[in-house]
Amino acid sequence: MEKKLEKRWIAAFVITTAIAITGLFWDHATVSETNSQFNSTDTIVPADVAWLLTASCLVLLMTPGLSFFYGGMVGKKNVISTMLKSFICLGVISLLWVAVGFSLSFGDPIGITINGTHYGIIGSPSDFAFFDFVDEHPHAKMATTIPFILFALFQMKFAIITPAIITGALAERIRFISFLLFICLFSICIYAPLCHMVWHPNGLLGSYFGVKDFAGGTVVHMSAGFAAIAGVLVLGKRKNLEYIPTNIPFVLLGTGMLWFGWFGFNAGSALAANHTAAMAFATTTIASASAMLTWAFFDRINGRRVSALGCCIGAVVGLVAITPAAGFVSVPKSIFFGFAAAIVSNVMVNWKSLKKIDDTLDVFACHGVGGIMGMILTAIFAEGENASLLHGGWNVFGHHMMALVLVAVFSFFGAMLLYKVTNFFIPLRVSEEAEQQGLDLSQHNEMIG
């Protein structure tokens, strides 16, 4: 067993070494003045650059915030391992994004042709490999007022937090090295195609279906939510389902960091310092406030105590639900987004059938269901002529529902396959003895005092 374990870690180190050496000898391509894909640096707007630099920092902060949010909820023997699984995404996904992830997400479309127009399913892996052509020049179609490298780094933070969200469902029983392999496969095979289809100018879902996802309701939260529930079904239940959250102040701290960082997540997705960013900033915080109160009061009228944990979960559900619509709806409507999502997610969290499968930290009920609610409500309420069901956009609503099913099926079954592949090479689940001992000690030889 020990020999097999060493081989796995040697393989991980060899891959990291290969990326580092490749980067050293990579003939990095830069933008020439005659490249029509890019604009001159004269088109850069300094205010937009300043805001996107700030927003990128805010979104990066969300991943450590998520680690505190999750870490405070698990049992004492698994706090470090749970927090590290979120935190390690900062390293793993960052390198993967530079090497190939960004190119798969935003490279030239590889896909299908419908009525003479080509729609992308995934980007070309070679276009921006190792950030070729990703420099100070703005792209002619994507984020035209900021350097392309800033756009790439902003998007990288979304790619980082998406697999980190999944960790809450699998906490207290998944092997660390298996998790590393899975998040690499997930980022390449599920996140990158969804990102391309929704956010690339010629993406299948965004361009053909007309899906409105302002900041990641489908790309981030639905993909993570359905991947989480698939992982729970593959891994099975924990041996000990009874646990007491270790550190509620950690959860409060994590919620504050997430709420703060979410302003970069949503308002930053305007990709400019403009009125849309300001509106997204407002709808984000109001939806979260509404959801937090709704969750607390809904708990109380159902015979449960008002708890700090419940208030924190409610606030995050509101943030999730408003994400796809943040720049498309008014502040009053954002109150309803938070209200409706909190009730539906609360019901799902307390649904006995869902509890039986042991989604440790209710990732699907909060992020998956919150993302679904956000997508449906966006298709109903998004403002503008023919923008949604209530504004004459019957086709938009229909296409959103079709896309919702497509994203759910793709994320769930795709993740299920990737878990199986991972388990074929490295067992996903720790031994019963290691689980009993706690993953902090058995996986990392560390423990909290």
Side-chain angles (χ1 to χ4, degrees), residues 118-263:
H118 191 67
Y119 298 100
I121 294 174
I122 196 167
S124 169
S126 61
D127 282 358
F128 305 126
F130 283 87
F131 273 23
D132 272 353
F133 304 109
V134 181
D135 59 19
E136 69 273 16
H137 291 80
H139 196 275
K141 293 183 178 179
M142 294 179 278
T144 58
T145 62
I146 62 173
F148 197 39
I149 191 167
L150 178 53
F151 174 75
L153 293 174
F154 177 68
Q155 290 292 340
M156 182 177 77
K157 310 307 188 294
F158 287 72
I160 288 169
I161 199 170
T162 305
I165 291 170
I166 301 170
T167 63
L170 316 176
E172 304 191 331
R173 61 200 185 277
I174 189 170
R175 194 184 302 266
F176 186 69
I177 186 67
S178 305
F179 173 73
L180 297 185
L181 175 56
F182 171 76
I183 63 173
C184 290
L185 295 174
F186 171 86
S187 297
I188 290 172
C189 301
I190 294 179
Y191 181 84
L194 285 177
C195 183
H196 184 87
M197 285 190 283
V198 174
W199 286 334
H200 189 278
N202 296 105
L204 178 66
L205 294 180
S207 183
Y208 179 72
F209 281 87
V211 169
K212 290 177 171 58
D213 187 357
F214 191 77
T218 51
V219 178
V220 176
H221 297 290
M222 279 187 62
S223 69
F226 280 99
I229 206 73
V232 168
L233 294 174
V234 172
L235 272 176
K237 295 186 288 188
R238 291 165 293 166
K239 299 300 180 184
N240 179 20
L241 300 183
E242 297 297 325
Y243 74 99
I244 299 173
T246 297
N247 197 322
I248 299 301
F250 267 21
V251 182
L252 287 161
L253 173 63
T255 303
M257 293 172 69
L258 284 168
W259 198 331
F260 181 65
W262 225 290
F263 293 130

Side-chain angles (χ1 to χ4, degrees), residues 259-417:
W259 198 331
F260 181 65
W262 225 290
F263 293 130
F265 199 82
N266 285 1
S269 293
L271 299 177
N274 58 18
H275 65 285
T276 304
M279 184 57 68
F281 194 105
T283 56
T284 297
T285 197
I286 298 304
S288 186
S290 172
M292 178 173 63
L293 293 179
T294 302
W295 192 287
F297 300 153
F298 191 74
D299 267 351
R300 195 68 191 102
I301 65 174
N302 281 280
R304 297 181 289 269
R305 296 278 188 178
V306 174
S307 65
L309 187 63
C311 289
C312 288
I313 294 171
V316 171
V317 166
L319 293 167
V320 171
I322 196 61
T323 290
F328 302 137
V329 298
S330 64
V331 171
K333 286 187 174 61
S334 71
I335 300 173
F336 182 78
F337 271 66
F339 171 81
I343 290 177
V344 175
S345 286
N346 190 299
V347 170
M348 293 297 291
V349 164
N350 292 286
W351 187 29
K352 291 182 179 179
S353 298
L354 192 59
K355 281 188 173 297
K356 288 179 181 178
I357 65 173
D358 193 23
D359 178 346
T360 309
L361 304 181
D362 300 308
V363 173
F364 176 74
C366 296
H367 290 273
V369 173
I372 292 170
M373 286 296 296
M375 189 175 184
I376 293 172
L377 292 172
T378 301
I380 296 173
F381 294 108
E383 296 176 352
E385 188 177 355
N386 295 322
S388 62
L389 184 63
L390 292 185
H391 293 84
W394 288 91
N395 287 338
V396 172
F397 180 80
H399 285 168
H400 266 75
M401 297 308 100
M402 292 169 62
L404 189 153
V405 173
L406 189 153
V407 171
V409 170
F410 175 68
S411 299
F412 178 79
F413 289 103
M416 184 79 74
L417 176 62

